[in-house]
Amino acid sequence: MTVRAILTAPDPRLQAVSTDVEQVTGEIRALIADMADSMYAADGIGLAAIQIGVAKRVLVIDLDQKDGKRNPRAFINPKITWASEETAVFEEGCLSVPEIWDDVERPARIRAEYLDENGEKQLLEADGMLATCLQHEMDHLNGVLFIDHLSRLKRSMAIRKLTKAKKLAAAG
Ligand code: K1U
Ligand code: ZN
């Protein structure tokens, strides 16, 4: 499979609202394999399809990467069906927002439904890092980055830093 380039902010494609997958075909399974390869190559724990430029509602997560073992989970057309009033704060990072980490407050527990790689409907209740990571990745499907949850000042500082880094990289 293929390691694909990951888009970085402020690339406008990251603001796209992704569309539902109509049928889980071999093409979607190939996309999921490329996403998993791209996530592992970048040392990530999650990835949404839009981060490799594909505006489909597909994400992969692997929170159990230990001793080189890989167990990517694919979530197709994921929907949050319930979110707790209780919130939790985790420090978040993003492969599309390199070198920036900050605390984000989100619902502590969620219930979600999604299709798996075989097109079967699955239900999930999540807390802890899985709940955070799922919400972070599902935000990507709606064109939202974790820095959009920060104060206006922190967000504009982050965008300025990312823009400067891109200019420096382009200048060689
Ligand atoms: O870009 C992404 O959406 C993936 C992102 C997922 C995430 C991380 C932390 C909180 C919420 C969501 C990442 O994988 S960032 C990289 C990362 O988490 C990591 C990298 C190396 C070691 C440990 C963690
Ligand atoms: Zn992200």
Side-chain angles (χ1 to χ4, degrees), residues 30-92:
L31 169 66
I32 289 167
D34 283 0
M35 287 170 63
D37 283 353
S38 309
M39 174 182 77
Y40 293 124
D43 281 334
I45 55 173
L47 196 76
I50 192 61
Q51 293 179 273
I52 57 167
V54 179
K56 290 188 193 298
R57 299 187 85 83
V58 180
L59 53 97
V60 292
I61 291 180
D62 187 353
L63 299 183
D64 307 315
Q65 302 169 48
K66 273 182 235 129
D67 311 322
K69 270 196 226 143
R70 294 176 169 184
N71 185 25
R73 280 172 81 170
F75 300 81
I76 301 165
N77 299 344
K79 282 181 190 65
I80 292 177
T81 54
W82 172 82
S84 64
E85 277 179 29
E86 185 198 343
T87 59
V89 176
F90 278 89
E91 190 177 44
E92 298 192 17

Side-chain angles (χ1 to χ4, degrees), residues 59 61 73 75-84 109-115 121-127 130-131 134-135 138:
L59 53 97
I61 291 180
R73 280 172 81 170
F75 300 81
I76 301 165
N77 299 344
K79 282 181 190 65
I80 292 177
T81 54
W82 172 82
S84 64
R109 281 173 292 123
I110 56 165
R111 288 190 200 119
E113 59 181 45
Y114 62 97
L115 300 178
K121 185 172 166 175
Q122 302 289 342
L123 303 176
L124 170 89
E125 181 150 351
D127 61 8
L130 180 56
L134 262 170
Q135 292 175 80
M138 287 167 75

